[in-house]
Amino acid sequence: MATGRLKVLDPDRCVGCQLCMFACQRRTGQAGLAESAIHVRSRGGLSRGLTVIVCRACEDPPCLAVCPTGALIKRKGGGVVLAAKKCIGCGFCREACPLNAIFWNDETQKPVICMHCGYCAEYCPHQVIALEEAA
Amino acid sequence: MLKNDPLKRVLYIDLSSKKFWIEERRDLFEKYIGGTGVASALLEEECPKEIDPQDPKNPIILAVGPSTGLFPIVSKTVSMFLSPHNKLLGESHAGGRSAVALRLAGYGAVIIRGKSNIPVYLVIDSNGVKFRDARALWGLSVSETGRFIREREKGSGLRSILRIGRAGETGVTYSCVVTETYRHFGRLGLGALFGYKKLKAIVIEGGKKALPVTDRKLYKETYDDILTRLRENPSLKKYYELGTAVNIIPLNMLGALPTRNLKETRFEKAENICGEYFAENLLGRRLACAHCPMACIHIAALRTPYEDEPYFYKTTFISYDYEPIYATGSMIGVGSAEGVLRLLDSIDNYGFDVMSTGVVLAWTTEAFEKGLINEEHTLGLEPKFGDVETYLKMLFHLANQSNEFYTALARGVDFTSQKYGGEDFALAFGGNEMSGYHTGYGIHITHLTGSRHSHLDSAGYSYDQKTKLKELDIHKLVEKLFKEEAYRQVLSSAICCFFGRSVFDFETLARMFSLSGFGYEAKDLEKLGQDILIRKYHFKKARNFAPSKLRIPRRIFETISPHGKLDEKVLKTAVKLYEEMIEKRGGGACK
């Protein structure tokens, strides 16, 4: 598994096209947004600019600390990997993340967490996000 | 179409009884794709022939298409209704986030029937509809309405907020619906219809759904191919660099920029209101519609001081484009970008259609100059070309329909000039005020024959700029415009932004649709485009419309265009030819 981390370089360059969000879902081969682990929204109306919400690959992830079933495993390079089979969908991880960067799939009732593959960054037209290789 | 595609779900909402229900209409989407195709079929089902636009039976129809949420730049929503402005086919398209939101909420179309007893706003999500009390929002501006709803409702990033301002509430027949602050369902008065229904706003909350495709690998390949073509196409550059405002200087040099109510076609202050000036001095940010890489939305940051306190400023963010600059700039003689922006800000907040409003102000100024109206009509105001302060005051009276004159003016220049005179310089076609082009015969054929009387119907201005007068063949031109409009019916059924038209040919569209399980070939789409166009023509014909019966304002024959002085006979012949062509291809067999 890759050990790089996705980084938000400059949210002020973001134009809100949401190509990253759709790219994240397209990894799965499907369209829409069910499995998208990155979110772009306005800061309270588009005139105020945009904010990009995505896991920043914490070295000591709070989400991992609260998982009662050990479904979140520490990822090399930061962040976590979800072992879906162990996950009971309690949502504690989502509550624990101060960035609100853990998303939710309503159909599977499981969290959606960035795996830092960098696929989204390939589609960003304005260098807002990039995959940084691990040091 | 695919069995599990939520596109087939049509949401019916009755404002009178505050009820909603969902019907599966596979039949419609399989036959007509989505967008304009589906909306025009639904309009036929929903809209009785004899009603007035104010009748509660006048429906609001919104529709998206199969490729929305799947492919980039396929992010527009089509609205259809009986137009409060010209009492014919009301159709308006808006970018922003509504299309993706609606698709991800799990609907292909929405139909709004009836009339509420009190002001309401609607929240549409995957579970259906919530009716919310909007009495406390009535009377608020477009931006204030957006602000309150934004804070009260959830779903930021996946939602769209459609709302009206004062102009829609009082029923100005060319009021619009604003979405995401900067995009509009403009022209033809959807805002007034919201107002008649006491519908202040609609929030559409998109869910985080998956959308099915027939072949996952092929989907990713097709996506990458289309995105690459959109990025590499040099003709699209203008949309995201300077934006559509880039056209001001070339059209002015060509002598095609309507100036001071089209008394002239060159504006001596064009350089002060051109795309280059805006970009260098005022451009504050660029934005994109949902799932679109173009970011063509250009936002100016206007810093203005408060007069009553030193060192006290506000900064307002206002979007600009070619048409709004024409309408509030050259057309009314305003030669400063700051003046244009102040007018645009006010027009946006009252929720007027900007093009109609510019033409209305231009007509009023000339009618005042000529003494057809006086201070008694205008409530003491003396409109002069270029006088921003007076125009700002007039906008207030117009939105509130302050007296009999402003009430007439709130119905457009066709109506007002019939009452007060000045028809020769009342620049509307089919009841819709003109766009920012006096390029030659093509644009005015488009204005007269287009199903929405919009410059975007068949883009005659584009053909004018490519054709020299001596090469002009009216038969060929009419044929081209018909074909162009028929093609655009497929684009707006998809529904792709027209800015991407150079990439979305019939073959590409057929490939995109096939990934949603539609078996169209390019030639089927060509035929479908014509069928949709003819159906829209039927809708108008059933309401006593014929292109050859339309009034043509004399002014366009007096003011020289790049094709010279236009000949009335030639234009009338062209319109007649178009009418014969559409009748021959099925327009005559009115259902």
Side-chain angles (χ1 to χ4, degrees), chain A residues 55 58-76 78-83 90 92-98 102 111 113:
Chain A
C55 169
C58 307
E59 289 185 10
D60 185 9
C63 55
L64 185 144
V66 298
C67 178
T69 62
L72 295 179
I73 300 152
K74 200 162 180 180
R75 177 183 166 276
K76 206 176 165 189
V80 292
V81 179
L82 175 73
C90 67
F92 289 178
C93 54
R94 187 163 57 151
E95 300 281 319
C97 177
I102 294 189
I113 306 172

mmCIF file of all heavy atoms in Angstrom, chain A residues 55 58-76 78-83 90 92-98 102 111 113:
data_model
loop_
_atom_site.group_PDB
_atom_site.id
_atom_site.type_symbol
_atom_site.label_atom_id
_atom_site.label_comp_id
_atom_site.label_asym_id
_atom_site.label_seq_id
_atom_site.Cartn_x
_atom_site.Cartn_y
_atom_site.Cartn_z
ATOM 1 N N CYS A 55 -9.155 13.778 5.217
ATOM 2 C CA CYS A 55 -8.265 13.246 6.257
ATOM 3 C C CYS A 55 -6.852 13.764 6.058
ATOM 4 O O CYS A 55 -6.340 13.758 4.934
ATOM 5 C CB CYS A 55 -8.278 11.716 6.158
ATOM 6 S SG CYS A 55 -7.005 10.923 7.147
ATOM 7 N N CYS A 58 -3.304 11.786 10.302
ATOM 8 C CA CYS A 58 -2.691 12.065 11.615
ATOM 9 C C CYS A 58 -1.722 10.941 11.989
ATOM 10 O O CYS A 58 -1.965 9.769 11.709
ATOM 11 C CB CYS A 58 -3.753 12.120 12.710
ATOM 12 S SG CYS A 58 -5.103 13.233 12.399
ATOM 13 N N GLU A 59 -0.678 11.358 12.687
ATOM 14 C CA GLU A 59 0.248 10.330 13.168
ATOM 15 C C GLU A 59 -0.322 9.602 14.375
ATOM 16 O O GLU A 59 -0.024 8.432 14.611
ATOM 17 C CB GLU A 59 1.588 10.976 13.497
ATOM 18 C CG GLU A 59 2.262 11.376 12.202
ATOM 19 C CD GLU A 59 3.646 11.908 12.376
ATOM 20 O OE1 GLU A 59 4.194 11.809 13.483
ATOM 21 O OE2 GLU A 59 4.157 12.442 11.369
ATOM 22 N N ASP A 60 -1.124 10.315 15.147
ATOM 23 C CA ASP A 60 -1.775 9.699 16.305
ATOM 24 C C ASP A 60 -3.280 9.926 16.143
ATOM 25 O O ASP A 60 -3.843 10.839 16.738
ATOM 26 C CB ASP A 60 -1.237 10.365 17.576
ATOM 27 C CG ASP A 60 -1.772 9.688 18.828
ATOM 28 O OD1 ASP A 60 -2.413 8.621 18.711
ATOM 29 O OD2 ASP A 60 -1.563 10.247 19.923
ATOM 30 N N PRO A 61 -3.941 9.112 15.325
ATOM 31 C CA PRO A 61 -5.305 9.436 14.911
ATOM 32 C C PRO A 61 -6.359 9.259 16.012
ATOM 33 O O PRO A 61 -6.447 8.181 16.606
ATOM 34 C CB PRO A 61 -5.597 8.420 13.785
ATOM 35 C CG PRO A 61 -4.299 7.754 13.490
ATOM 36 C CD PRO A 61 -3.468 7.865 14.709
ATOM 37 N N PRO A 62 -7.112 10.320 16.324
ATOM 38 C CA PRO A 62 -8.164 10.205 17.342
ATOM 39 C C PRO A 62 -9.249 9.192 16.961
ATOM 40 O O PRO A 62 -9.831 8.555 17.835
ATOM 41 C CB PRO A 62 -8.752 11.610 17.450
ATOM 42 C CG PRO A 62 -8.204 12.386 16.318
ATOM 43 C CD PRO A 62 -6.996 11.689 15.807
ATOM 44 N N CYS A 63 -9.505 9.024 15.671
ATOM 45 C CA CYS A 63 -10.527 8.078 15.242
ATOM 46 C C CYS A 63 -10.147 6.652 15.660
ATOM 47 O O CYS A 63 -10.979 5.876 16.130
ATOM 48 C CB CYS A 63 -10.749 8.156 13.737
ATOM 49 S SG CYS A 63 -9.255 7.938 12.755
ATOM 50 N N LEU A 64 -8.869 6.362 15.531
ATOM 51 C CA LEU A 64 -8.378 5.023 15.876
ATOM 52 C C LEU A 64 -8.556 4.771 17.375
ATOM 53 O O LEU A 64 -8.954 3.679 17.796
ATOM 54 C CB LEU A 64 -6.915 4.917 15.466
ATOM 55 C CG LEU A 64 -6.234 3.566 15.625
ATOM 56 C CD1 LEU A 64 -5.262 3.337 14.483
ATOM 57 C CD2 LEU A 64 -5.497 3.450 16.945
ATOM 58 N N ALA A 65 -8.295 5.835 18.159
ATOM 59 C CA ALA A 65 -8.355 5.689 19.610
ATOM 60 C C ALA A 65 -9.742 5.308 20.112
ATOM 61 O O ALA A 65 -9.883 4.674 21.148
ATOM 62 C CB ALA A 65 -7.892 6.989 20.271
ATOM 63 N N VAL A 66 -10.795 5.698 19.376
ATOM 64 C CA VAL A 66 -12.156 5.456 19.889
ATOM 65 C C VAL A 66 -12.835 4.252 19.244
ATOM 66 O O VAL A 66 -13.949 3.893 19.632
ATOM 67 C CB VAL A 66 -13.073 6.693 19.710
ATOM 68 C CG1 VAL A 66 -12.532 7.872 20.510
ATOM 69 C CG2 VAL A 66 -13.230 7.059 18.235
ATOM 70 N N CYS A 67 -12.211 3.620 18.275
ATOM 71 C CA CYS A 67 -12.868 2.494 17.605
ATOM 72 C C CYS A 67 -12.969 1.308 18.577
ATOM 73 O O CYS A 67 -11.954 0.798 19.061
ATOM 74 C CB CYS A 67 -12.097 2.082 16.356
ATOM 75 S SG CYS A 67 -12.860 0.647 15.543
ATOM 76 N N PRO A 68 -14.202 0.852 18.901
ATOM 77 C CA PRO A 68 -14.350 -0.193 19.913
ATOM 78 C C PRO A 68 -14.061 -1.603 19.400
ATOM 79 O O PRO A 68 -13.954 -2.538 20.207
ATOM 80 C CB PRO A 68 -15.819 -0.081 20.324
ATOM 81 C CG PRO A 68 -16.506 0.474 19.118
ATOM 82 C CD PRO A 68 -15.508 1.315 18.393
ATOM 83 N N THR A 69 -13.953 -1.773 18.092
ATOM 84 C CA THR A 69 -13.827 -3.128 17.562
ATOM 85 C C THR A 69 -12.492 -3.383 16.865
ATOM 86 O O THR A 69 -12.293 -4.445 16.280
ATOM 87 C CB THR A 69 -14.951 -3.425 16.547
ATOM 88 O OG1 THR A 69 -14.816 -2.507 15.462
ATOM 89 C CG2 THR A 69 -16.318 -3.298 17.171
ATOM 90 N N GLY A 70 -11.615 -2.400 16.912
ATOM 91 C CA GLY A 70 -10.329 -2.560 16.238
ATOM 92 C C GLY A 70 -10.436 -2.598 14.724
ATOM 93 O O GLY A 70 -9.595 -3.170 14.043
ATOM 94 N N ALA A 71 -11.484 -1.949 14.202
ATOM 95 C CA ALA A 71 -11.679 -1.942 12.743
ATOM 96 C C ALA A 71 -10.778 -0.927 12.051
ATOM 97 O O ALA A 71 -10.610 -0.977 10.836
ATOM 98 C CB ALA A 71 -13.137 -1.651 12.412
ATOM 99 N N LEU A 72 -10.232 0.008 12.826
ATOM 100 C CA LEU A 72 -9.313 0.981 12.238
ATOM 101 C C LEU A 72 -7.891 0.576 12.599
ATOM 102 O O LEU A 72 -7.555 0.381 13.770
ATOM 103 C CB LEU A 72 -9.625 2.392 12.728
ATOM 104 C CG LEU A 72 -10.983 2.951 12.294
ATOM 105 C CD1 LEU A 72 -11.202 4.349 12.860
ATOM 106 C CD2 LEU A 72 -11.107 2.980 10.768
ATOM 107 N N ILE A 73 -7.096 0.450 11.561
ATOM 108 C CA ILE A 73 -5.720 -0.011 11.753
ATOM 109 C C ILE A 73 -4.796 1.121 11.358
ATOM 110 O O ILE A 73 -5.043 1.812 10.355
ATOM 111 C CB ILE A 73 -5.458 -1.247 10.866
ATOM 112 C CG1 ILE A 73 -6.430 -2.355 11.262
ATOM 113 C CG2 ILE A 73 -4.006 -1.712 10.979
ATOM 114 C CD1 ILE A 73 -6.753 -3.301 10.128
ATOM 115 N N LYS A 74 -3.766 1.333 12.130
ATOM 116 C CA LYS A 74 -2.830 2.425 11.847
ATOM 117 C C LYS A 74 -2.159 2.201 10.496
ATOM 118 O O LYS A 74 -1.707 1.103 10.185
ATOM 119 C CB LYS A 74 -1.784 2.503 12.952
ATOM 120 C CG LYS A 74 -1.119 3.846 12.993
ATOM 121 C CD LYS A 74 -0.405 4.101 14.303
ATOM 122 C CE LYS A 74 0.224 5.483 14.216
ATOM 123 N NZ LYS A 74 0.930 5.864 15.387
ATOM 124 N N ARG A 75 -2.168 3.261 9.692
ATOM 125 C CA ARG A 75 -1.620 3.174 8.351
ATOM 126 C C ARG A 75 -0.188 3.679 8.339
ATOM 127 O O ARG A 75 0.116 4.694 8.974
ATOM 128 C CB ARG A 75 -2.496 4.009 7.406
ATOM 129 C CG ARG A 75 -2.034 4.077 5.978
ATOM 130 C CD ARG A 75 -2.983 5.010 5.194
ATOM 131 N NE ARG A 75 -2.411 5.367 3.913
ATOM 132 C CZ ARG A 75 -1.545 6.351 3.740
ATOM 133 N NH1 ARG A 75 -1.143 7.086 4.756
ATOM 134 N NH2 ARG A 75 -1.074 6.604 2.540
ATOM 135 N N LYS A 76 0.662 2.995 7.598
ATOM 136 C CA LYS A 76 2.049 3.445 7.473
ATOM 137 C C LYS A 76 2.041 4.784 6.714
ATOM 138 O O LYS A 76 1.445 4.876 5.653
ATOM 139 C CB LYS A 76 2.842 2.401 6.682
ATOM 140 C CG LYS A 76 4.309 2.411 6.994
ATOM 141 C CD LYS A 76 5.015 1.292 6.267
ATOM 142 C CE LYS A 76 6.506 1.546 6.288
ATOM 143 N NZ LYS A 76 7.224 0.627 5.423
ATOM 144 N N GLY A 78 0.752 7.499 8.196
ATOM 145 C CA GLY A 78 -0.262 8.308 8.878
ATOM 146 C C GLY A 78 -1.672 7.927 8.495
ATOM 147 O O GLY A 78 -1.906 7.326 7.442
ATOM 148 N N GLY A 79 -2.608 8.275 9.386
ATOM 149 C CA GLY A 79 -4.010 7.950 9.115
ATOM 150 C C GLY A 79 -4.334 6.507 9.443
ATOM 151 O O GLY A 79 -3.578 5.825 10.141
ATOM 152 N N VAL A 80 -5.470 6.044 8.927
ATOM 153 C CA VAL A 80 -5.940 4.699 9.264
ATOM 154 C C VAL A 80 -6.395 3.943 8.018
ATOM 155 O O VAL A 80 -6.650 4.543 6.983
ATOM 156 C CB VAL A 80 -7.135 4.763 10.255
ATOM 157 C CG1 VAL A 80 -6.706 5.285 11.613
ATOM 158 C CG2 VAL A 80 -8.270 5.591 9.685
ATOM 159 N N VAL A 81 -6.512 2.644 8.167
ATOM 160 C CA VAL A 81 -7.115 1.801 7.136
ATOM 161 C C VAL A 81 -8.306 1.108 7.786
ATOM 162 O O VAL A 81 -8.208 0.660 8.936
ATOM 163 C CB VAL A 81 -6.106 0.745 6.626
ATOM 164 C CG1 VAL A 81 -6.768 -0.150 5.572
ATOM 165 C CG2 VAL A 81 -4.881 1.434 6.041
ATOM 166 N N LEU A 82 -9.408 1.074 7.066
ATOM 167 C CA LEU A 82 -10.619 0.475 7.625
ATOM 168 C C LEU A 82 -10.678 -1.015 7.281
ATOM 169 O O LEU A 82 -10.612 -1.393 6.112
ATOM 170 C CB LEU A 82 -11.854 1.187 7.069
ATOM 171 C CG LEU A 82 -13.212 0.600 7.454
ATOM 172 C CD1 LEU A 82 -13.537 0.896 8.912
ATOM 173 C CD2 LEU A 82 -14.319 1.151 6.563
ATOM 174 N N ALA A 83 -10.826 -1.826 8.312
ATOM 175 C CA ALA A 83 -11.092 -3.252 8.080
ATOM 176 C C ALA A 83 -12.613 -3.415 8.170
ATOM 177 O O ALA A 83 -13.176 -3.557 9.267
ATOM 178 C CB ALA A 83 -10.387 -4.102 9.122
ATOM 179 N N CYS A 90 -20.682 1.987 14.301
ATOM 180 C CA CYS A 90 -21.133 2.767 15.473
ATOM 181 C C CYS A 90 -20.996 4.269 15.244
ATOM 182 O O CYS A 90 -21.713 5.060 15.855
ATOM 183 C CB CYS A 90 -20.360 2.353 16.726
ATOM 184 S SG CYS A 90 -18.611 2.791 16.677
ATOM 185 N N PHE A 92 -18.441 6.183 16.050
ATOM 186 C CA PHE A 92 -17.605 6.910 17.031
ATOM 187 C C PHE A 92 -16.446 7.630 16.328
ATOM 188 O O PHE A 92 -16.063 8.722 16.704
ATOM 189 C CB PHE A 92 -17.028 5.948 18.084
ATOM 190 C CG PHE A 92 -18.041 5.414 19.061
ATOM 191 C CD1 PHE A 92 -17.660 4.490 20.047
ATOM 192 C CD2 PHE A 92 -19.370 5.819 19.022
ATOM 193 C CE1 PHE A 92 -18.589 3.992 20.956
ATOM 194 C CE2 PHE A 92 -20.297 5.313 19.922
ATOM 195 C CZ PHE A 92 -19.914 4.402 20.892
ATOM 196 N N CYS A 93 -15.870 6.975 15.332
ATOM 197 C CA CYS A 93 -14.730 7.562 14.619
ATOM 198 C C CYS A 93 -15.106 8.908 14.008
ATOM 199 O O CYS A 93 -14.350 9.869 14.072
ATOM 200 C CB CYS A 93 -14.223 6.603 13.537
ATOM 201 S SG CYS A 93 -15.485 6.044 12.379
ATOM 202 N N ARG A 94 -16.308 8.935 13.463
ATOM 203 C CA ARG A 94 -16.779 10.162 12.817
ATOM 204 C C ARG A 94 -16.894 11.297 13.846
ATOM 205 O O ARG A 94 -16.556 12.435 13.578
ATOM 206 C CB ARG A 94 -18.130 9.889 12.156
ATOM 207 C CG ARG A 94 -18.624 11.033 11.323
ATOM 208 C CD ARG A 94 -19.724 10.650 10.370
ATOM 209 N NE ARG A 94 -20.874 10.048 11.037
ATOM 210 C CZ ARG A 94 -22.113 10.139 10.586
ATOM 211 N NH1 ARG A 94 -22.366 10.806 9.477
ATOM 212 N NH2 ARG A 94 -23.115 9.563 11.202
ATOM 213 N N GLU A 95 -17.393 10.951 15.010
ATOM 214 C CA GLU A 95 -17.536 11.935 16.094
ATOM 215 C C GLU A 95 -16.171 12.435 16.554
ATOM 216 O O GLU A 95 -16.023 13.587 16.923
ATOM 217 C CB GLU A 95 -18.238 11.292 17.299
ATOM 218 C CG GLU A 95 -19.626 10.757 17.006
ATOM 219 C CD GLU A 95 -20.649 11.858 16.985
ATOM 220 O OE1 GLU A 95 -20.566 12.747 17.850
ATOM 221 O OE2 GLU A 95 -21.522 11.843 16.084
ATOM 222 N N ALA A 96 -15.202 11.543 16.545
ATOM 223 C CA ALA A 96 -13.901 11.885 17.142
ATOM 224 C C ALA A 96 -13.053 12.782 16.252
ATOM 225 O O ALA A 96 -12.171 13.482 16.737
ATOM 226 C CB ALA A 96 -13.130 10.609 17.454
ATOM 227 N N CYS A 97 -13.308 12.761 14.965
ATOM 228 C CA CYS A 97 -12.443 13.517 14.056
ATOM 229 C C CYS A 97 -12.746 15.015 14.136
ATOM 230 O O CYS A 97 -13.844 15.443 13.772
ATOM 231 C CB CYS A 97 -12.611 13.038 12.616
ATOM 232 S SG CYS A 97 -11.608 14.012 11.472
ATOM 233 N N PRO A 98 -11.791 15.820 14.586
ATOM 234 C CA PRO A 98 -12.070 17.258 14.734
ATOM 235 C C PRO A 98 -12.178 17.983 13.394
ATOM 236 O O PRO A 98 -12.632 19.111 13.332
ATOM 237 C CB PRO A 98 -10.877 17.769 15.543
ATOM 238 C CG PRO A 98 -9.796 16.776 15.327
ATOM 239 C CD PRO A 98 -10.441 15.451 15.031
ATOM 240 N N ILE A 102 -14.240 12.320 8.380
ATOM 241 C CA ILE A 102 -14.712 10.951 8.184
ATOM 242 C C ILE A 102 -16.153 11.018 7.685
ATOM 243 O O ILE A 102 -17.017 11.625 8.311
ATOM 244 C CB ILE A 102 -14.588 10.122 9.481
ATOM 245 C CG1 ILE A 102 -13.086 9.985 9.799
ATOM 246 C CG2 ILE A 102 -15.263 8.748 9.329
ATOM 247 C CD1 ILE A 102 -12.740 9.040 10.910
ATOM 248 N N PRO A 111 -18.165 3.924 7.785
ATOM 249 C CA PRO A 111 -17.446 5.173 7.508
ATOM 250 C C PRO A 111 -16.706 5.113 6.170
ATOM 251 O O PRO A 111 -16.375 4.026 5.681
ATOM 252 C CB PRO A 111 -16.451 5.273 8.668
ATOM 253 C CG PRO A 111 -16.282 3.890 9.171
ATOM 254 C CD PRO A 111 -17.572 3.174 8.915
ATOM 255 N N ILE A 113 -13.301 6.692 4.610
ATOM 256 C CA ILE A 113 -12.090 7.396 5.057
ATOM 257 C C ILE A 113 -11.044 7.395 3.943
ATOM 258 O O ILE A 113 -10.815 6.374 3.293
ATOM 259 C CB ILE A 113 -11.494 6.715 6.320
ATOM 260 C CG1 ILE A 113 -12.568 6.611 7.418
ATOM 261 C CG2 ILE A 113 -10.283 7.496 6.836
ATOM 262 C CD1 ILE A 113 -12.145 5.791 8.634
#
